[in-house]
Amino acid sequence: MDNNSPKIAVIGAGVVGMTVAKIVQQELRNTNITIIADAFTEDTVSCVAAGIFRPGTSFKGPTKEITKKWINDSWYFWQDILKTSEAPLAGLMPVSSYIFSKENYFVTRNHLIEDLVPIYRSVEKDELKLCGEGWKYGSYFSTIKIGCDRYLPWVEKSFIEKGGKIDVKKIDSFASLLSKFDLVFNCTGLGAKMLCGDHDLVALRGQVIKVKAPWLKMAFYGDYDTYMIPGLDGVATLGGVRQYDSYNKDVCKYDSAAIMERCCQLLPALKQAEVVAHRVGLRPHRVPVRVEPEVVDGVKVVHCYGHGGYGVMCAPGTAMDAVRMGVDFLKSNVRSKM
Ligand SMILES: Cc1cc2nc3c(=O)[nH]c(=O)nc-3n(C[C@H](O)[C@H](O)[C@H](O)COP(=O)(O)OP(=O)(O)OC[C@H]3O[C@@H](n4cnc5c(N)ncnc54)[C@H](O)[C@@H]3O)c2cc1C
């Protein structure tokens, strides 16, 4: 690396920023890369998430084909890590899941991953009785979970070892980065609402309860956004809520009570589980997720934000596209035309 190497900034240290930084380092070896962010690991939305690989229909790219490509590319990115001995350090684990409904067969299906994951099937009659009475429909599938409490520090460590720099600060405008960086990746999640004045980006408030449940080895989903997802450290995530356009970061005791009640109805053994924490996160919801280059105030910016409730699972696919755009952007002389 020398002083003539391109200078690249990644704004954001959540799962999207960290994954972009990791891929930039792999693709562009001779570069100076700095991650700039005002919140890291535990303080990011990424760390609130259980991080299961299960996309919902609100996850959308600009076309159906791009959405599917992002999902597939992400799956194989995670599989490559899962094959290595690093997987537990990176927070990755395989998870088997049941999803049940009393109301609708289609909510138990998932056309976005049925051809991707090793198993996705309808349940047998006996399996419908696994979580109490009354379940009419169900599916079983195998997937993975990415715990950002481990993944983010794992990426950060290797990023620094390879010469990457970290700068802890808030960026108020792209103009403040002019002449300091040749290329900027904007991975600010909900922060892009202010930074870009993006009115299409909306908070989708979520709340979860983290409980000690080392005995929970599978994920279970029920109606009304009810889920329990095991973790590598024996701490399970219970959820959840999706509150559109709500910016309240405080824990709501009524949400907690409703989550606990719904989860215990599904799996009564959870009544005995010790509560470790209540967490709130504002999902950066945008349709479509924004992955595109733009010159802002003379700065070459590639945006990569707005992943809603699916940013952990889909960060890699979108990051790969963002980095491809960034490489082309670096080569182009578009700034001189502005
Ligand atoms: C309850 C809940 C459950 C979820 N479950 C799942 C799940 O199971 N699977 C899944 O895939 N996804 C899940 N998600 C969604 C997932 O958490 C998000 O999509 C993802 O974390 C978004 O990542 P991000 O890196 O874009 O944002 P963040 O994690 O919010 O990171 C944004 C980064 O940008 C920085 N930043 C912002 N503005 C600025 C600025 N102006 N200057 C400097 N730095 C700035 C912040 O400091 C931070 O470092 C869940 C979310 C919630 C809330």
Side-chain angles (χ1 to χ4, degrees):
M1 223 180 303
D2 57 49
N3 280 343
N4 295 325
S5 309
K7 293 186 180 55
I8 298 179
V10 177
I11 321 176
V15 65
V16 176
M18 282 296 179
T19 308
V20 165
K22 179 175 165 56
I23 296 173
V24 172
Q25 250 182 354
Q26 278 163 4
E27 300 291 314
L28 296 169
R29 283 167 193 256
N30 192 27
T31 42
N32 293 297
I33 314 173
T34 307
I35 296 173
I36 308 171
D38 61 352
F40 286 78
T41 312
E42 276 302 311
D43 298 324
T44 62
V45 176
S46 302
C47 263
V48 177
I52 201 153
F53 197 103
R54 178 181 168 262
T57 44
S58 69
F59 179 75
K60 283 200 168 74
T63 64
K64 276 184 192 166
E65 291 71 28
I66 292 174
T67 307
K68 187 67 176 117
K69 185 171 183 311
W70 284 347
I71 292 169
N72 288 9
D73 286 350
S74 299
W75 175 260
Y76 292 112
F77 173 96
W78 297 122
Q79 291 303 314
D80 283 347
I81 301 176
L82 205 55
K83 278 184 224 145
T84 71
S85 56
E86 290 281 295
L89 296 173
L92 265 74
M93 64 189 271
V95 184
S96 301
S97 310
Y98 277 109
I99 174 162
F100 297 116
S101 176
K102 293 183 176 170
E103 298 176 4
N104 190 333
Y105 170 70
F106 292 102
V107 300
T108 75
R109 306 302 304 191
N110 194 313
H111 69 283
L112 292 167
I113 55 166
E114 288 189 15
D115 64 343
L116 193 61
V117 297
I119 305 172
Y120 207 113
R121 61 166 176 82
S122 298
V123 297
E124 306 289 336
K125 270 193 176 162
D126 286 355
E127 292 173 289
L128 280 177
K129 294 182 186 141
L130 277 172
C131 289
E133 296 300 312
W135 299 105
K136 283 193 188 150
Y137 313 103
S139 290
Y140 170 90
F141 61 102
S142 52
T143 187
I144 55 165
K145 177 196 138 91
I146 308 104
C148 280
D149 53 339
R150 292 194 190 191
Y151 176 70
L152 299 183
W154 180 76
V155 177
E156 189 179 326
K157 182 169 176 280
S158 126
F159 174 77
I160 293 169
E161 281 167 3
K162 289 179 184 148
K165 296 184 202 97
I166 302 282
D167 193 354
V168 184
K169 69 174 173 200
K170 186 171 183 204
I171 298 296
D172 293 316
S173 71
F174 292 110
S176 67
L177 302 174
L178 186 64
S179 74
K180 292 183 188 144
F181 294 100
D182 301 295
L183 179 67
V184 172
F185 289 94
N186 172 21
C187 310
T188 51
L190 197 62
K193 194 168 178 67
M194 296 297 283
L195 194 56
C196 305
D198 186 342
H199 298 299
D200 295 331
L201 185 63
V202 175
L204 195 54
R205 182 181 177 279
Q207 186 168 318
V208 292
I209 310 174
K210 306 268 179 184
V211 299
K212 269 193 195 158
W215 45 268
L216 185 70
K217 300 295 181 200
M218 297 185 71
F220 291 91
Y221 289 84
D223 289 318
Y224 312 121
D225 218 359
T226 302
Y227 56 84
M228 55 218 65
I229 298 169
L232 270 172
D233 48 6
V235 174
T237 305
L238 315 186
V241 294
R242 274 165 212 264
Q243 293 157 353
Y244 186 81
D245 217 3
S246 169
Y247 294 80
N248 183 0
K249 288 190 190 167
D250 295 334
V251 172
C252 167
K253 64 179 182 181
Y254 303 107
D255 285 340
S256 293
I259 291 167
M260 196 50 103
E261 190 182 323
R262 281 186 275 128
C263 287
C264 289
Q265 266 169 15
L266 200 63
L267 216 60
L270 285 169
K271 280 180 198 157
Q272 269 79 50
E274 181 191 333
V275 173
V276 179
H278 296 267
R279 300 290 307 272
V280 172
L282 306 182
R283 302 172 180 97
H285 174 74
R286 189 182 193 276
V287 180
V289 178
R290 188 173 188 202
V291 182
E292 63 181 8
E294 185 187 18
V295 177
V296 190
D297 297 332
V299 181
K300 288 181 180 178
V301 179
V302 177
H303 302 287
C304 191
Y305 66 81
H307 297 65
Y310 309 101
V312 178
M313 59 159 287
C314 283
T318 55
M320 286 176 205
D321 261 4
V323 173
R324 262 193 294 274
M325 290 171 191
V327 171
D328 290 346
F329 217 0
L330 265 183
K331 288 183 200 150
S332 74
N333 61 352
V334 66
R335 193 190 316 184
S336 59
K337 288 181 198 155
M338 296 301 293

